[in-house]
Amino acid sequence: MKQTYGVPALVSMFLPGLGQLIKGQILKALFIWVISGVVGFFLWWTVIVPFLVWAWNVYDAYNDPA
């Protein structure tokens, strides 16, 4: 059975990248913070693009092995 990570996914719902940081993926967390900031700043008006970045972040925190 594939291991999943519920707590990192839960905290990533509220602060993108924190789930990856909890799992020890520091560079990925920094990458998510930069991408989320850029996308949020430039594409906030599209609503769907920031939502997709957020959804990918939560999915990655839940499924990606540490």
Side-chain angles (χ1 to χ4, degrees):
M1 183 184 249
K2 184 178 177 182
Q3 183 178 8
T4 57
Y5 301 89
V7 172
L10 184 64
V11 297
S12 283
M13 286 182 178
F14 299 104
L15 184 61
L18 187 57
Q20 284 78 5
L21 193 62
I22 288 173
K23 290 176 12 182
Q25 299 173 336
I26 298 169
L27 290 178
K28 189 181 280 189
L30 292 173
F31 175 75
I32 289 171
W33 288 333
V34 169
I35 294 300
S36 295
V38 169
V39 167
F41 182 76
F42 288 111
L43 298 174
W44 62 269
W45 52 272
T46 63
V47 178
I48 190 70
V49 176
F51 174 77
L52 290 175
V53 171
W54 173 82
W56 168 79
N57 165 58
V58 174
Y59 175 80
D60 181 66
Y62 184 71
N63 286 312
D64 193 34

